[in-house]
Amino acid sequence: MDNDAFRRTYREINERYCAYEKGILTNHCGCSQAKKFCIAEREGVHCTSDEAQQTCIVLLDLLGQQARFALKAHSPGSALPHTKAMRLQVGGLRGIAAALDPDAPVPDYVQDVHATLLAAIARFGGLQNLPFSRVIREIAAYAPRRRRRRP
């Protein structure tokens, strides 16, 4: 299947995409509201809740604004390359999890994105009140796996 046909089919099938699809597909996090699906041997992730999807989108927008310097992203609102999007998603979740439980080590895997965000909203009174300095530190510290060169 060529990429254009795949993208077209993907958009038709997945009208409520998961904002944390990259993190879920790379096994850095899971979510109680996410459902995986396959198209031509490729995986995608669908969100089962409008409310959960909206919360995730709002969070990623906030993180993108707050972490522009850490990500070296110069133009606000532009699409991030894969590595920077991974840093924002996975590093952001790890930072929120660390802020929720400062005595525990920073998790390598976040079990449930939705539950973590609901806990953060309850604890800090809203996503805009997150301790962004702590979260940004984890975004900056997150390093995705390097590709191995084939001999």
Side-chain angles (χ1 to χ4, degrees):
M1 176 179 269
D2 72 13
N3 282 331
D4 291 333
F6 171 75
R7 283 190 205 100
R8 213 174 21 258
T9 305
Y10 179 89
R11 281 191 292 272
E12 288 170 8
I13 291 174
N14 194 15
E15 68 270 351
R16 191 183 312 117
Y17 69 94
C18 174
Y20 279 90
E21 181 175 55
K22 288 178 183 1
I24 290 171
L25 290 176
T26 56
N27 294 320
H28 287 94
C29 60
C31 184
S32 61
Q33 302 300 311
K35 300 290 181 223
K36 290 183 180 181
F37 62 91
C38 291
I39 301 173
E41 298 179 4
R42 297 185 195 180
E43 278 188 304
V45 182
H46 173 77
C47 184
T48 60
S49 165
D50 287 329
E51 180 184 330
Q53 182 197 39
Q54 199 56 39
T55 302
C56 291
I57 290 170
V58 167
L59 173 67
L60 287 174
D61 286 344
L62 273 170
L63 290 177
Q65 292 166 14
Q66 296 289 326
R68 275 188 29 220
F69 181 76
L71 293 173
K72 297 178 178 95
H74 302 292
S75 20
S78 62
L80 293 172
H82 177 77
T83 302
K84 290 182 182 184
M86 286 292 295
R87 288 178 69 195
L88 192 67
Q89 287 183 20
V90 178
L93 282 175
R94 288 179 180 180
I96 292 169
L100 286 169
D101 191 359
D103 297 330
V106 176
D108 287 334
Y109 182 85
V110 175
Q111 290 287 341
D112 190 346
V113 173
H114 184 63
T116 301
L117 298 187
L118 291 179
I121 291 168
R123 170 107 181 257
F124 301 111
L127 294 175
Q128 66 280 1
N129 299 328
L130 288 172
F132 285 107
S133 61
R134 176 74 171 116
V135 176
I136 301 305
R137 203 172 332 146
E138 292 304 321
I139 290 172
Y142 175 73
R145 287 185 307 158
R146 295 268 184 219
R147 272 190 165 168
R148 285 190 270 167
R149 292 193 181 258
R150 294 183 182 169

